[in-house]
Amino acid sequence: MSAESGVALGEAHAKAILIGEHSVVYGHPAIAIPVTSLRTVARVSAETGPIRFGIDGSILAIDELPARIAPIGEAARVALRAFGLPEADVLIRLRTGIPPAAGLGGSAAVAHAVIEAVRRFAGGELTEAERFELVQAAERVAHGNPSGLDATATRARTPILFHAGATRPLAVGAPMWLVLGDTGVRGSTSDAVARVRGFVDAHPGRGAELLDLLARMTGEAERLLAAGDVGRLGPCLDRAHDALVELGVGHDAIDELVAAARAGGARGVKITGAGCGGCVLALADSAAAAERLSHAMTEANAVASWVVEVEPTAGEGAR
Ligand code: PMV
């Protein structure tokens, strides 16, 4: 929609990190998969007066936003500023199906949706690099010092490898299924990042070994994804999980879902996202196996679970 009608929409989707979270903060690569079934929609409309937000049936001023959704305010600010609009005379309504602080990129998706809605409202243009920078500015409120992985992955259409700020699409050699199980425990990404930093500072030798291991497993995962080798990809995920737990981002509720997924026949299972709660990701080689894992995690107290099919890529990318 355009500014003429006074209303504009923007949307973005969730993401799951297959492997490489936390080590990506130290400049190593990470692999993320778009989760297009979970979406956030922002709607900007013209209103006179100070900027306001419509969230969960309430209308809030910018300084009334609860801390957990403060990045929405920052996303609106940076976007309005980018288009030379005043920080006033708009109502921004938000509808999101992405659980917040669950490791699924909820805050980056909100930022993308708001920025896109404001862009359309203003009738302006943004390059991908400008869009990325605006999302990162909003994400800094949520994360402190985000790697940029979430900002990239919540707009990606295919599995991607993110490395040192650059992104490329990945080949997938065979269909596979990811089952995301939500512990319902809400952690803060910046706290989790600080925890890992604390470990690395306190144990520099072991910390470096674990980060290198995560980088190696990510490289391995890229090859196995391209080869469609689910059987060997699973153990890479398991080893990454153990490293993340040793780095300090485990949780009892995660242990429970990991155990249930393993008992339910997962090919591999790990924390996905920041950890200290949030979601786990289990790998399956068929839709039926994925459904069984989803059921097993629900039985083990997951508050929600989602099955994501990773489709094979066609043509030259697939090796
Ligand atoms: O946004 P989350 O909670 O899925 O996790 C972000 C991934 C981290 O590697 C932990 C942080 C980052 O900035 O990349």
Side-chain angles (χ1 to χ4, degrees), residues 112-130:
H112 266 303
V114 168
I115 289 161
E116 176 59 5
V118 171
R119 183 192 72 75
R120 291 183 176 182
F121 182 81
E125 296 297 330
L126 284 175
T127 64
E128 281 306 311
E130 288 165 343

Side-chain angles (χ1 to χ4, degrees), residues 15-17 20-25 30 101-108 136 139 143 145-150 162 187-190 192-193 196 272-275:
K15 66 92 213 342
I17 300 175
E21 54 274 268
H22 287 292
S23 46
V24 70
V25 173
L104 299 178
S107 65
Q136 282 292 86
E139 281 282 87
H143 282 201
N145 185 24
S147 63
L149 173 62
D150 281 15
F162 178 89
S188 135
T189 299
S190 50
V193 168
V196 172
T272 184

Side-chain angles (χ1 to χ4, degrees), residues 112 211 283 304:
H112 266 303
L211 294 172
L283 181 66

Side-chain angles (χ1 to χ4, degrees), residues 17-201:
I17 300 175
L18 182 69
I19 192 163
E21 54 274 268
H22 287 292
S23 46
V24 70
V25 173
Y26 297 78
H28 294 301
I31 296 175
I33 313 281
V35 179
T36 52
S37 56
L38 297 178
R39 309 188 71 77
T40 289
V41 179
R43 178 183 187 275
V44 177
S45 57
E47 285 241 331
T48 44
I51 178 169
R52 289 182 309 151
F53 296 84
I55 295 159
D56 296 338
S58 308
I59 301 288
L60 302 169
I62 203 159
D63 56 4
E64 290 170 340
L65 291 170
R68 78 186 157 80
I69 48 173
I72 298 171
E74 193 57 22
R77 271 202 188 106
V78 296
L80 290 166
R81 216 177 292 143
F83 294 106
L85 295 177
E87 287 175 22
D89 300 334
V90 285
L91 170 65
I92 302 182
R93 286 187 187 276
L94 200 80
R95 201 158 28 94
T96 183
I98 308 176
L104 299 178
S107 65
V110 163
H112 266 303
V114 168
I115 289 161
E116 176 59 5
V118 171
R119 183 192 72 75
R120 291 183 176 182
F121 182 81
E125 296 297 330
L126 284 175
T127 64
E128 281 306 311
E130 288 165 343
R131 198 185 285 276
F132 175 82
E133 276 315 317
L134 292 179
V135 173
Q136 282 292 86
E139 281 282 87
R140 273 179 209 113
V141 174
H143 282 201
N145 185 24
S147 63
L149 173 62
D150 281 15
T152 308
T154 48
R155 230 177 116 69
R157 308 306 301 180
T158 63
I160 54 162
L161 185 114
F162 178 89
H163 192 193
T167 306
R168 62 185 160 81
L170 286 181
V172 179
M176 53 191 86
W177 285 260
L178 307 180
V179 187
L180 302 170
D182 186 355
T183 61
V185 176
R186 299 290 169 246
S188 135
T189 299
S190 50
D191 287 355
V193 168
R195 227 169 224 268
V196 172
R197 170 67 62 196
F199 183 97
V200 170
D201 288 349

Side-chain angles (χ1 to χ4, degrees), residues 189-270:
T189 299
S190 50
D191 287 355
V193 168
R195 227 169 224 268
V196 172
R197 170 67 62 196
F199 183 97
V200 170
D201 288 349
H203 314 279
R206 185 61 184 150
E209 266 172 33
L210 291 171
L211 294 172
D212 282 349
L213 174 85
L214 286 168
R216 267 203 325 280
M217 288 304 109
T218 303
E220 219 20 52
E222 181 191 356
R223 280 186 290 282
L224 295 168
L225 199 61
D229 191 342
V230 180
R232 285 165 68 209
L233 178 58
C236 279
L237 303 188
D238 292 333
R239 290 186 70 189
H241 176 74
D242 293 344
L244 290 168
V245 170
E246 193 175 339
L247 285 167
V249 295
H251 191 282
D252 289 351
I254 292 176
D255 293 347
E256 220 179 318
L257 294 193
V258 167
R262 286 198 176 131
R267 307 304 298 252
V269 56
K270 62 180 278 295

